[in-house]
Amino acid sequence: MQDFEAIARPGYAHRHLLGIEGLTPAEIETLLDLAADYAAQDAGAHQRSPLLSGHTVINLFFETSTRTRTSFELAAKRLSADVINMSVTWSSIKKGETLLDTAMTLNAMHPDVLIVRHPESGAVKLLSEKVNGAVINAGDGSHEHPTQALLDALTIRRRRGRLAGLTVAICGDILHSRVARSNIHLLTTMGARVRVIAPPTLMPGGIERLGVESFMDMREGLRDCDIVMMLRLQTERMQGSYVPSIREYFRFYGLDREKLAMAKPDALIMHPGPMNRGVEIDSSVADDIDRSLIQEQVEMGVAVRMACLHALVAGTRTPVRAEG
Ligand code: CP
């Protein structure tokens, strides 16, 4: 089995992973290459690596999660870390403890990695400045969700062999989406062309400054694209109404066979989940086994999170060979 220790550290020299913005193409490539190795390994016998043996990883989630929290837990366990899962429901935050007091309390237990999801943009960075261990952003408000963008990129790369030169359309609630932001940073950094498609109420002003093209008309935006990435309406971040009705929204911005026909004949469909069928995507395309990558995205989530844990922690260890 490959000595993974030697691969990651030289190419990723940051203490934390707080966002994709600011990462270099080489750093992104390093994480994707390492994740690809883990994906290949995982397709085998779910072997455990001793890489993070003796390390403690804490999942600290202030918002709900199925995919991210579970896959980080699985990733940490496959690297032999001790894993603690904390959710707001069961913590002293319910009794009024602040984010920073919670962070300091956990810091006193000397975790090696804190994986944090929080509803406020910037909260994870603030926390990272107060603790000694590495911090991974598992989604902060509408700011960034870096590991989602990495797993999306790995999924695309496995299917298309590259990111550069592809046209990727990101459709839906761009305004509130941290997934959109992280994907825009990653895909433009890696040389893909990115289009964002949304109704005027859900399109951030000045989005073109991020190097994307914006479209209000979905059929026009999907024309000849390689990848169609759908996003759900983030109603938990909305105050008031942003769309006239769900029915109307689906009619103009829901992905169905008819709108998908505007993209390339072999265009692939993605969605970070959770999906709202009949709102932003029709089941006929979400479940199309020839075109939909949605399950593969979830599968790549574990490999990407193993790679991120590895890259952040490996530099503190002497080389370890994986068992196998
Ligand atoms: N894509 C994503 O972040 O899903 P979860 O909210 O289930 O973690």
Side-chain angles (χ1 to χ4, degrees), residues 107-291:
N107 191 52
M109 298 177 209
H110 308 297
D112 297 283
V113 186
L114 271 167
I115 296 157
V116 187
R117 172 170 286 191
H118 197 280
E120 297 297 329
S121 301
V124 181
K125 181 172 188 302
L126 189 67
L127 187 146
S128 74
E129 290 160 2
K130 307 286 176 194
V131 298
N132 301 115
V135 174
I136 300 179
N137 182 1
D140 65 323
S142 52
H143 174 228
E144 280 231 35
H145 190 350
T147 56
Q148 180 68 46
L150 287 164
L151 75 88
D152 291 340
L154 179 63
T155 307
I156 296 171
R157 213 178 70 161
R158 278 161 59 97
R159 289 299 187 111
R160 288 288 180 257
R162 66 195 164 97
L163 296 169
L166 295 177
T167 301
V168 181
I170 308 178
C171 320
D173 183 359
I174 308 293
L175 183 66
H176 299 104
S177 177
R178 54 200 179 203
V179 173
R181 243 157 232 86
S182 288
N183 264 298
I184 289 169
H185 290 309
L186 191 150
L187 291 165
T188 54
T189 301
M190 300 309 283
R193 283 187 292 271
V194 180
R195 299 176 186 169
V196 290
I197 305 171
T201 50
L202 295 173
M203 185 72 85
I207 188 85
E208 294 82 5
R209 284 198 293 270
L210 298 183
V212 302
E213 275 184 282
S214 68
F215 294 84
M216 310 287 175
D217 183 298
M218 190 163 175
R219 288 172 183 81
E220 200 188 321
L222 290 183
R223 198 181 301 278
D224 296 328
C225 70
D226 297 282
I227 306 286
V228 184
M229 194 179 283
M230 299 306 301
L231 302 173
R232 76 182 170 89
L233 292 173
Q234 309 248 316
T235 49
E236 71 275 26
R237 300 190 210 292
M238 294 181 188
Q239 276 156 5
S241 179
Y242 284 74
V243 296
S245 69
I246 295 303
R247 194 185 158 96
E248 193 84 341
Y249 182 77
F250 182 76
R251 188 167 150 232
F252 288 102
Y253 293 98
L255 186 68
D256 54 16
R257 292 240 166 253
E258 187 256 316
K259 295 190 198 81
L260 181 62
M262 299 303 294
K264 283 188 179 162
D266 62 348
L268 297 168
I269 302 154
M270 302 180 76
H271 194 308
M275 262 189 295
N276 290 138
R277 292 168 185 265
V279 180
E280 75 275 5
I281 192 164
D282 188 65
S283 288
S284 66
V285 290
D287 299 333
D288 182 338
I289 53 168
D290 297 321
R291 310 283 294 274

Side-chain angles (χ1 to χ4, degrees), residues 151 154-155 158-159 293-301:
L151 75 88
L154 179 63
T155 307
R158 278 161 59 97
R159 289 299 187 111
L293 302 182
I294 295 168
Q295 292 307 317
E296 191 171 331
Q297 286 174 268
V298 177
E299 191 188 335
M300 291 307 109

Side-chain angles (χ1 to χ4, degrees), residues 64-69 117 145 148 272-274:
T64 56
S65 169
T66 299
R67 284 147 283 267
T68 312
R69 200 202 60 76
R117 172 170 286 191
H145 190 350
Q148 180 68 46

Side-chain angles (χ1 to χ4, degrees), residues 42-59:
D42 199 44
H46 294 320
Q47 291 151 324
R48 265 180 192 253
S49 155
L51 190 74
L52 300 194
S53 175
H55 285 70
T56 304
V57 173
I58 299 182
N59 269 322

